[in-house]
Amino acid sequence: HGAHEPPIRKISMTCLLSHESQFEGGDLEITAPGKFAKLKQGHAVMFASFLNHRVAPVTRGVRQSLVMWFGGKPFR
């Protein structure tokens, strides 16, 4: 890992900004399809960035979230 390379993403965090009544769908799936993190407004979840994850399609309204990544040297 060179001195000028960006850090490796190690931890991902998402915080739901929208109130859950403002949208339908949009659940965060981590690792296994059908396994959802049901977040409420202002709640956040952190997980290892190497886990497969996605946000299910939003079927009504608008879902806004804040996403952050925490990086560093690769895990051993």
Side-chain angles (χ1 to χ4, degrees), residues 3-4 11 14 20 25 31 43 45-46 54-55 58 63 65 71-72 74:
H4 299 291
I11 303 293
T14 184
E20 53 274 18
T31 304
H43 289 192
V45 63
M46 297 178 81
R54 74 178 193 120
V55 174
V58 174
R63 176 194 187 274
S65 62

Side-chain angles (χ1 to χ4, degrees), residues 2-31:
H4 299 291
E5 292 182 39
I8 301 296
R9 285 185 192 170
K10 296 175 80 168
I11 303 293
S12 296
M13 188 274 312
T14 184
C15 177
L16 184 61
L17 300 177
S18 301
H19 190 274
E20 53 274 18
S21 67
Q22 295 177 322
F23 66 94
E24 291 177 5
D27 292 323
L28 176 64
E29 292 182 17
I30 301 175
T31 304

Side-chain angles (χ1 to χ4, degrees), residues 24-65:
E24 291 177 5
D27 292 323
L28 176 64
E29 292 182 17
I30 301 175
T31 304
K35 301 291 183 187
F36 299 104
K38 286 294 234 181
L39 296 176
K40 294 185 180 209
Q41 186 177 33
H43 289 192
V45 63
M46 297 178 81
F47 55 93
S49 297
F50 61 79
L51 294 174
N52 288 331
H53 58 282
R54 74 178 193 120
V55 174
V58 174
T59 57
R60 179 191 62 82
V62 176
R63 176 194 187 274
Q64 293 183 316
S65 62

